[in-house]
């Protein structure tokens, strides 16, 4: 009898301690980078700046060749990621500003509180949730991550901040929060490393129950604050801006490496879906490189909206594969819910789709019939290989299969195609709300940057 009890106890110990985490729902980690150039990742062809840890996500999973964000600037793009819905549906068309539309107040700038975030959804499905890094979804209490579906928050509410401590006065949206507490500037070392450390400690503390992590780095957004030792590593790069950019990319990649190492250490690799996405194309001001893509952050050219996106879930998704049909960062929310075998709790219709059946080959169709963009006067639609850009009366059409760099405007040659794409775009716009605030850059900037004659990086950089 005693012997049987002993064997029984031994079996229990073996059963519960072998492969921790395997019996539970998978964790989901969404890593966001900020304003990185399309070809500044090794896995997307980058040669100058090593990104071995981000590349390893691609090797262990899927690289998306035609991945898009729903906006070419930070805040609306992140609103799309966080809700799985075109952010214009709730008036979040522009980057945050104080240029309010009639009927709205400055306190309304941010994600509409009636929207459900990915944090809300994962919480409702039994997940512990944390948001780390740049929030950029409003500065009011009603917008604060702890009130928007996240159990924990470690980050700042604005769109950027210094990576090193501020010496003088700093504004409220630049404060680093540890949940409700402001972290003293004197405790700040280097922001990218601090976000990484918090992500690792959160994983260390949550090895026994499922978690969702939104790890939204502000690297490699301006200001170009880099660590001295890493600047030294890239001293051979003659352009000091590019040198700082390379050093900041390396801090980002090192951080991703540490987070992945924490998963491995706790044997959570096969029980964690990791999604990496860059929030918009390389910016005009951070020395990033968009390679063959025309345009930069802020534009409807591919350089503004086509981004690096990777997904790994060992044992569930194939390793070292690429996926070429167009996908959207809006797909992250429904894919996360599906990985959790959960159900959407929010009542509103999502624009994103669960990508898992497409990635496993169960569904061979295109995930989206078409993808859409609009920010003020500039709008675009992609359907199959066709991409149409509409900025007031200026309508451009490109065949992305043949012309990735959007050099040959085919609009005059295909009037029927143009007509049908314009109609689809117009139909989509009927489901949008009016912007709740507008952009300080104004229409003229958009009009000029989308002219065929505005070409070449130097010219592009004149119209951010
Ligand atoms: Ca950004």
């Amino acid at each position: 009898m005693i012997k049987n009890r002993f064997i029984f106890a031994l079996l229990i110990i073996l059963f519960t301690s072998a492969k921790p985490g395997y019996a539970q729902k998978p964790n989901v980690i969404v890593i966001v980078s900020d304003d990185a150039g399309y070809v500044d990742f090794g896995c997307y062809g980058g040669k100058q700046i090593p990104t071995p840890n981000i590349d390893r996500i691609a090797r262990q999973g899927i690289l998306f060749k035609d991945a898009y964000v729903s906006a070419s600037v930070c805040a609306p793009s992140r609103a799309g990621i966080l809700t799985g819905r075109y952010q214009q549906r709730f008036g979040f068309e522009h980057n945050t500003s104080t240029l309010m539309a009639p009927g709205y107040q400055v306190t309304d700038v941010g994600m509409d509180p009636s929207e459900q975030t990915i944090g809300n959804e994962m919480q409702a499905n039994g997940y512990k949730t944390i948001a780390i890094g740049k929030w950029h979804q409003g500065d009011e209490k009603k917008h604060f991550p702890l009130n928007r579906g996240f159990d924990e928050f470690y980050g700042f509410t604005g769109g950027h901040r210094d990576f090193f401590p501020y010496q003088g006065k700093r504004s409220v949206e630049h404060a680093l929060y540890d949940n409700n507490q402001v972290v003293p500037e004197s405790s700040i070392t280097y922001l990218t490393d601090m976000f990484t450390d918090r992500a690792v400690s959160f994983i260390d503390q949550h090895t026994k129950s499922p978690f969702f992590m939104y790890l939204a780095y502000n690297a490699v957004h301006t200001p170009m604050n880099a660590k001295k030792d890493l600047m030294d590593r890239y001293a051979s790069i003659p352009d000091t801006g590019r040198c700082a950019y390379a050093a900041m990319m390396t801090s980002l990649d090192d951080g991703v490496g540490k987070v992945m190492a924490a998963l491995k250490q706790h044997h959570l690799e096969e029980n964690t879906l990791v999604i990496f996405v860059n929030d918009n194309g390389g910016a005009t001001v951070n020395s990033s490189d968009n390679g063959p893509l025309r345009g930069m952050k802020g534009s409807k050219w591919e350089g503004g909206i086509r981004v690096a996106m990777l997904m790994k879930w060992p044992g569930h998704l194939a390793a070292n594969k690429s996926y070429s049909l167009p996908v959207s960062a809006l797909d992250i929310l429904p894919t996360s819910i599906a990985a959790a075998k959960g159900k959407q709790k929010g009542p509103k219709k999502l624009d994103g789709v669960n990508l898992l059946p497409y990635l496993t080959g169960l569904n061979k169709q295109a995930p989206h019939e078409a993808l859409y963009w609009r920010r003020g006067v500039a709008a675009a639609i992609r359907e199959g290989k066709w991409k149409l850009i509409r900025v007031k009366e200026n309508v451009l059409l490109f065949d992305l299969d043949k012309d990735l760099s959007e050099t040959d405007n085919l609009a005059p040659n295909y009037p029927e195609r143009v007509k049908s794409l314009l109609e689809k775009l117009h139909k989509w716009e009927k489901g949008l709300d009016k912007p709740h605030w507008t952009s300080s850059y104004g229409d003229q900037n958009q009009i000029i940057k989308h002219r065929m004659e505005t070409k070449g990086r130097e010219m592009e950089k004149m119209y951010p």
Side-chain angles (χ1 to χ4, degrees):
M1 186 68 181
I2 288 171
K3 194 179 165 193
N4 281 349
R5 270 191 192 169
F6 175 75
I7 290 168
F8 183 65
L10 192 68
L11 281 172
I12 292 280
I13 289 165
L14 281 172
F15 184 73
T16 53
S17 66
K19 306 199 168 182
Y22 273 57
Q24 72 189 38
K25 290 180 179 185
N27 310 304
V28 179
I29 299 180
V30 176
I31 304 174
V32 182
S33 62
D34 199 348
D35 288 13
Y38 190 64
V39 298
D40 285 324
F41 301 97
C43 50
Y44 280 86
K47 299 267 186 283
Q48 191 176 34
I49 308 165
T51 53
N53 296 298
I54 294 168
D55 299 349
R56 195 172 299 118
I57 298 177
R59 270 212 310 286
Q60 295 178 345
I62 291 162
L63 179 146
F64 295 91
K65 288 191 164 168
D66 287 39
Y68 291 94
V69 278
S70 59
S72 63
V73 292
C74 314
S77 169
R78 288 162 190 246
I81 293 169
L82 284 163
T83 59
R85 285 160 45 79
Y86 283 114
Q87 62 281 351
Q88 300 93 337
R89 295 200 190 284
F90 45 96
F92 205 142
E93 184 154 334
H94 295 280
N95 240 340
T96 51
S97 83
T98 52
L99 302 170
M100 303 314 296
Y104 294 95
Q105 301 173 352
V106 176
T107 50
D108 294 324
V109 176
M111 189 202 294
D112 195 295
S114 71
E115 294 298 313
Q116 291 278 307
T117 71
I118 194 168
N120 293 128
E121 292 292 344
M122 298 306 274
Q123 260 180 348
N125 280 294
Y127 280 65
K128 190 82 187 282
T129 61
I130 184 169
I132 299 173
K134 163 165 154 176
W135 182 240
H136 213 187
Q137 299 297 306
D139 300 319
E140 299 296 315
K141 197 175 174 192
K142 63 185 174 184
H143 301 130
F144 200 64
L146 296 181
N147 300 320
R148 301 300 284 116
F150 291 94
D151 297 308
E152 292 189 29
F153 175 54
Y154 187 79
F156 60 99
T157 60
H160 63 86
R161 66 149 283 158
D162 282 9
F163 291 75
F164 296 114
Y166 286 101
Q167 297 304 328
K169 204 168 177 293
R170 57 125 180 76
S171 47
V172 175
E173 73 267 22
H174 293 155
L176 177 65
Y177 284 90
D178 183 346
N179 294 320
N180 281 312
Q181 301 293 316
V182 173
V183 177
E185 285 295 314
S186 58
S187 310
I188 288 174
T189 54
Y190 187 68
L191 208 59
T192 304
D193 295 345
M194 293 176 84
F195 293 157
T196 299
D197 290 346
R198 183 53 172 258
V200 168
S201 72
F202 187 84
I203 294 170
D204 289 344
Q205 290 158 19
H206 295 85
T207 57
K208 299 282 192 287
S209 55
F211 66 81
F212 172 79
M213 180 185 293
Y214 175 66
L215 176 52
Y217 287 105
N218 58 315
V220 283
H221 194 292
T222 53
M224 303 313 286
N225 297 162
K227 291 198 286 185
K228 172 81 172 61
D229 58 323
L230 293 176
M231 286 286 281
D232 292 345
R233 190 187 296 181
Y234 294 108
S236 64
I237 299 177
D239 179 279
T240 50
R242 181 72 181 170
C243 177
Y245 176 86
M248 291 167 75
M249 279 292 283
T250 296
S251 291
L252 168 72
D253 187 71
D254 286 348
V256 170
K258 284 181 184 165
V259 174
M260 295 305 109
L263 292 179
K264 191 171 185 180
Q265 186 201 332
H266 294 296
H267 309 286
L268 292 172
E269 277 186 309
E270 289 181 26
N271 205 38
T272 305
L273 168 66
V274 176
I275 303 170
F276 178 91
V277 69
N278 183 44
D279 75 336
N280 52 250
T284 57
V285 288
N286 69 347
S287 304
S288 52
D289 184 0
N290 279 336
L293 305 185
R294 183 169 184 162
M296 309 199 81
K297 174 182 179 178
S299 80
K300 298 291 170 285
W301 300 112
E302 292 292 283
I305 53 178
R306 186 192 286 240
V307 295
M309 182 163 149
L310 311 165
M311 206 178 275
K312 80 161 176 120
W313 191 10
H316 300 266
L317 295 175
N320 210 18
K321 293 270 187 223
S322 62
Y323 187 80
S324 299
L325 292 168
V327 300
S328 169
L330 302 178
D331 302 333
I332 291 172
L333 182 147
T335 303
S336 300
I337 296 173
K341 291 200 164 54
K343 285 206 163 50
Q344 184 200 342
K345 307 287 172 163
K348 296 184 181 176
K349 190 180 172 299
L350 300 178
D351 292 303
V353 300
N354 166 23
L355 291 177
L356 297 177
Y358 299 94
L359 302 178
T360 55
L362 207 63
N363 191 334
K364 307 234 187 290
Q365 306 293 308
H368 298 270
E369 188 198 330
L371 292 172
Y372 304 89
W373 296 267
R374 191 183 78 182
R375 194 165 60 89
V377 292
I381 172 172
R382 174 162 178 187
E383 186 184 49
K385 65 178 184 174
W386 297 104
K387 157 110 173 266
L388 177 138
I389 297 176
R390 184 203 70 197
V391 184
K392 293 205 162 182
E393 67 286 347
N394 183 25
V395 176
L396 310 170
L397 180 71
F398 303 99
D399 175 347
L400 292 179
D401 280 356
K402 291 193 182 128
D403 182 23
L404 178 65
S405 300
E406 299 170 289
T407 57
D408 192 9
N409 174 22
L410 300 175
N413 310 13
Y414 294 91
E416 287 304 312
R417 175 74 58 186
V418 166
K419 186 165 172 276
S420 102
L421 289 172
L422 282 173
E423 279 170 6
K424 278 186 181 161
L425 185 53
H426 187 62
K427 192 176 163 206
W428 170 74
E429 287 179 293
K430 284 185 175 168
L432 309 180
D433 200 0
K434 285 206 175 86
H436 294 184
W437 59 89
T438 57
S439 161
S440 54
Y441 284 107
D443 292 352
Q444 201 55 26
N445 195 54
Q446 295 273 7
I447 291 167
I448 299 172
K449 83 166 95 187
H450 292 103
R451 283 182 180 157
M452 286 309 290
E453 56 269 31
T454 305
K455 57 186 168 192
R457 288 284 184 247
E458 291 317 306
M459 228 171 153
E460 287 171 351
K461 285 178 182 176
M462 290 165 66
Y463 307 102

